[in-house]
Structure formats: structure tokens, C-alpha cells
Amino acid sequence: MREVVIIEAVRTPIGRRNGALCEIRADDLLATVLQEVVRRAGIEPGFVEDVIAGCVTQVGDQGANVARTATLLAGFPVEVAATSVNRQCGSSHQAIHFASQAIRSGDADVVVACGVESMSRVPLGSDYGEWNPRLMERYHLVHQGVAAEMLVKRYGLTRERLGHARPDALVMHPGPMNEGVEIAPDVAIGAQSVITDQVTNGVAIRMAVGKNFQIFRRPGFFAKHC
């Protein structure tokens, strides 16, 4: 099999819920990244054979094959194929695997693997619809945050115990994660550009680690479902 290499990587800044990026459509965000990644790679957009985009909630702005709409918005030739992948939280990771597999097998030479999600504009669960009753009879399906706290309760896990297992898991970045050159420079809201992340910095995370937050837990929930 052929060797696969990543020749360029770029992203938008990371935004907060209803933050600086909330007025920008997801397909426009992805289009900005697609334009920038081929520019940095020094190739023509038509040289790309496929664009594979991970996206969990494929409705609204993110529906109708958002990979394809973003590729067209980015000015890629109509001949460039594009598809959207949903493997829940591993969607963009799966896009990378599919791109690698296509190249290794000889099906393609140049593929863009990417992902997009705007939870301000398209909230998590917007695509759920109504669960099949037979499925709900067989499985107790809950949000992954609820599932995590159910596991904590069932196995008696503590923050201290988990912290000893990987004490640096949440403090890898001493400050805002916006110091790299991978951020696209021209994510614009009107005449204003967004060039920095809005995520919590490492100092604030260190302060939070020592607290016993129970974000999803509700009184009586675990007695009923665990």
C-alpha cells in the first residue's frame, strides 16, 4: 500500500456557545477553511479529488450534504466530489480514516478530510426526531454526559482517582489555544475578523478540576436508571 501524508492543516478559531462565530453559517465556516487549506498547500482546488467532512447534526445549515455545499461555496470546481460523515463525536476522525483509506488503496491521490459543527446555530439533538419504541425497549439511551455520570456512580469513581490516572488531561495548554499558525486568518463577521479562540484557558481549567461538578446529574435519576 502507498504511504499517506498530511501536507497541510488549518482550522477556524473555536467559539463559545452564542459567541463570536454564532452568526456565521457552518457551511461558510467550512468553506473558509477549504479555501485556506488549498492556498497553504499550494495546489489548485481542482487538484482535490474528494472532500470528506465529519458532521454530527446534519440538519438546517449543516444539512443537504454540508461537505458538498461548503466545497461549492469555497469555489472548488463542480467536478470535486464531497460527502458528509456522521459517526457522532468521532465524525471528523472517521473522515480522516476514509481519506487515508482512499489514498492507500489507490482510489485517490489528494483528499481533504475535515469537519464542521455550529452548536449555536444547530443545537445538539436537532436531528434526533422520534426514537423507535422497539429500540427504546431494548436500550436505555441517554446523553453521553449523563452516561458518564452514571458510570461514575456505578463504579464509585472520583475526580481524585481519575486525576491520578491522567493529571495533565485538562491542562495541556497553559493559555488560550490560539498561538498556533493553523488558524485561518479571515473568518469574518461583517468587517470584523475573528482570529482567536474563545475557549477556556488552562488556568481556569486547573481551578475547575478540583471542584466536584455534577453537570448532568438530577436528584433521583441514578436510583431509577443505574
Side-chain angles (χ1 to χ4, degrees):
M1 290 188 181
R2 301 188 300 177
E3 181 182 7
V4 180
V5 296
I6 298 173
I7 60 172
E8 192 55 79
V10 65
R11 65 177 177 86
T12 68
I14 301 172
R16 293 180 183 273
R17 180 179 174 85
N18 297 323
L21 302 177
C22 72
E23 297 299 323
I24 306 177
R25 292 175 54 101
D27 46 6
D28 284 326
L29 285 172
L30 183 54
T32 297
V33 169
L34 293 175
Q35 290 173 330
E36 183 67 9
V37 76
V38 294
R39 185 191 70 79
R40 295 189 184 193
I43 62 174
E44 292 295 324
F47 197 59
V48 176
E49 296 167 78
D50 202 0
V51 175
I52 306 173
C55 182
V56 176
T57 312
Q58 297 185 29
V59 296
D61 296 356
Q62 298 170 177
N65 190 3
V66 67
R68 178 63 172 169
T69 57
T71 300
L72 295 175
L73 285 169
F76 282 39
V78 296
E79 292 81 7
V80 177
T83 189
S84 302
V85 177
N86 180 1
R87 198 184 280 275
Q88 297 297 292
C89 294
S91 298
S92 296
H93 199 188
Q94 186 61 59
I96 296 172
H97 281 289
F98 282 158
S100 175
Q101 291 161 8
I103 295 171
R104 288 172 68 87
S105 67
D107 282 347
D109 293 316
V110 180
V111 180
V112 175
C114 53
V116 67
E117 205 83 41
S118 175
M119 294 177 68
S120 297
R121 297 180 63 88
V122 186
L124 180 68
S126 298
D127 61 335
Y128 282 1
E130 183 177 348
W131 291 103
N132 188 313
R134 294 194 301 115
L135 182 67
M136 298 303 291
E137 289 175 2
R138 184 176 300 179
Y139 301 104
H140 176 62
L141 301 178
V142 296
H143 184 277
Q144 63 180 348
V146 174
E149 293 189 355
M150 290 172 69
L151 290 173
V152 167
K153 177 70 174 180
R154 175 174 295 181
Y155 296 106
L157 303 176
T158 65
R159 278 195 178 275
E160 291 74 20
R161 179 180 173 186
L162 296 175
H164 287 309
R166 180 68 193 277
D168 62 337
L170 295 178
V171 293
M172 304 225 14
H173 296 275
M177 296 188 295
N178 56 18
E179 299 173 357
V181 296
E182 77 279 9
I183 297 180
D186 55 353
V187 179
I189 306 172
Q192 181 180 1
S193 292
V194 181
I195 60 174
T196 59
D197 291 329
Q198 292 190 294
V199 296
T200 306
N201 64 32
V203 174
I205 291 176
R206 287 190 184 93
M207 295 172 62
V209 165
K211 299 181 180 180
N212 186 25
F213 291 143
Q214 295 178 348
I215 299 174
F216 301 95
R217 189 172 181 176
R218 301 191 302 274
F221 183 89
F222 289 93
K224 180 178 180 182
H225 295 293
C226 287

mmCIF file of all heavy atoms in Angstrom, residues 39 80 96 173 177 193 209 212 215:
data_model
loop_
_atom_site.group_PDB
_atom_site.id
_atom_site.type_symbol
_atom_site.label_atom_id
_atom_site.label_comp_id
_atom_site.label_asym_id
_atom_site.label_seq_id
_atom_site.Cartn_x
_atom_site.Cartn_y
_atom_site.Cartn_z
ATOM 1 N N ARG A 39 -4.841 26.891 -0.373
ATOM 2 C CA ARG A 39 -3.903 28.005 -0.569
ATOM 3 C C ARG A 39 -2.576 27.700 0.099
ATOM 4 O O ARG A 39 -1.503 27.885 -0.487
ATOM 5 C CB ARG A 39 -4.488 29.302 -0.004
ATOM 6 C CG ARG A 39 -3.638 30.532 -0.282
ATOM 7 C CD ARG A 39 -4.091 31.734 0.508
ATOM 8 N NE ARG A 39 -3.801 31.595 1.940
ATOM 9 C CZ ARG A 39 -2.595 31.810 2.476
ATOM 10 N NH1 ARG A 39 -1.575 32.173 1.714
ATOM 11 N NH2 ARG A 39 -2.416 31.667 3.776
ATOM 12 N N VAL A 80 -15.232 18.336 -8.252
ATOM 13 C CA VAL A 80 -14.659 17.840 -6.996
ATOM 14 C C VAL A 80 -15.783 17.223 -6.155
ATOM 15 O O VAL A 80 -16.736 17.906 -5.782
ATOM 16 C CB VAL A 80 -13.973 18.972 -6.210
ATOM 17 C CG1 VAL A 80 -13.460 18.443 -4.864
ATOM 18 C CG2 VAL A 80 -12.815 19.555 -7.021
ATOM 19 N N ILE A 96 -10.981 11.457 8.402
ATOM 20 C CA ILE A 96 -9.539 11.274 8.181
ATOM 21 C C ILE A 96 -9.246 9.838 7.786
ATOM 22 O O ILE A 96 -8.460 9.567 6.864
ATOM 23 C CB ILE A 96 -8.751 11.672 9.438
ATOM 24 C CG1 ILE A 96 -8.922 13.161 9.725
ATOM 25 C CG2 ILE A 96 -7.265 11.318 9.282
ATOM 26 C CD1 ILE A 96 -8.332 13.602 11.047
ATOM 27 N N HIS A 173 -2.656 22.911 27.825
ATOM 28 C CA HIS A 173 -2.414 24.239 27.278
ATOM 29 C C HIS A 173 -2.367 25.254 28.419
ATOM 30 O O HIS A 173 -3.346 25.431 29.127
ATOM 31 C CB HIS A 173 -3.520 24.628 26.291
ATOM 32 C CG HIS A 173 -3.558 23.745 25.088
ATOM 33 N ND1 HIS A 173 -2.774 23.946 23.989
ATOM 34 C CD2 HIS A 173 -4.276 22.628 24.833
ATOM 35 C CE1 HIS A 173 -3.017 22.999 23.090
ATOM 36 N NE2 HIS A 173 -3.922 22.193 23.587
ATOM 37 N N MET A 177 -5.829 28.472 23.453
ATOM 38 C CA MET A 177 -5.274 27.622 22.404
ATOM 39 C C MET A 177 -5.307 28.346 21.064
ATOM 40 O O MET A 177 -5.891 27.877 20.096
ATOM 41 C CB MET A 177 -6.050 26.316 22.347
ATOM 42 C CG MET A 177 -5.917 25.484 23.605
ATOM 43 S SD MET A 177 -6.655 23.849 23.450
ATOM 44 C CE MET A 177 -8.377 24.263 23.238
ATOM 45 N N SER A 193 -12.800 40.594 11.821
ATOM 46 C CA SER A 193 -12.276 39.246 11.721
ATOM 47 C C SER A 193 -12.135 38.621 13.100
ATOM 48 O O SER A 193 -11.787 39.300 14.075
ATOM 49 C CB SER A 193 -10.907 39.250 11.025
ATOM 50 O OG SER A 193 -11.043 39.602 9.666
ATOM 51 N N VAL A 209 -10.798 21.798 37.956
ATOM 52 C CA VAL A 209 -10.551 20.376 38.149
ATOM 53 C C VAL A 209 -10.766 19.960 39.594
ATOM 54 O O VAL A 209 -11.241 18.875 39.875
ATOM 55 C CB VAL A 209 -9.126 20.018 37.687
ATOM 56 C CG1 VAL A 209 -8.718 18.650 38.197
ATOM 57 C CG2 VAL A 209 -9.053 20.050 36.171
ATOM 58 N N ASN A 212 -16.125 19.515 42.483
ATOM 59 C CA ASN A 212 -16.926 18.327 42.231
ATOM 60 C C ASN A 212 -18.184 18.711 41.446
ATOM 61 O O ASN A 212 -19.282 18.714 41.973
ATOM 62 C CB ASN A 212 -17.298 17.655 43.548
ATOM 63 C CG ASN A 212 -18.004 16.324 43.316
ATOM 64 O OD1 ASN A 212 -17.820 15.710 42.281
ATOM 65 N ND2 ASN A 212 -18.791 15.904 44.278
ATOM 66 N N ILE A 215 -22.705 18.162 36.313
ATOM 67 C CA ILE A 215 -23.399 18.982 35.336
ATOM 68 C C ILE A 215 -24.725 18.370 34.920
ATOM 69 O O ILE A 215 -25.726 19.060 34.753
ATOM 70 C CB ILE A 215 -22.496 19.194 34.104
ATOM 71 C CG1 ILE A 215 -21.206 19.910 34.522
ATOM 72 C CG2 ILE A 215 -23.225 19.974 33.016
ATOM 73 C CD1 ILE A 215 -20.202 20.027 33.416
#
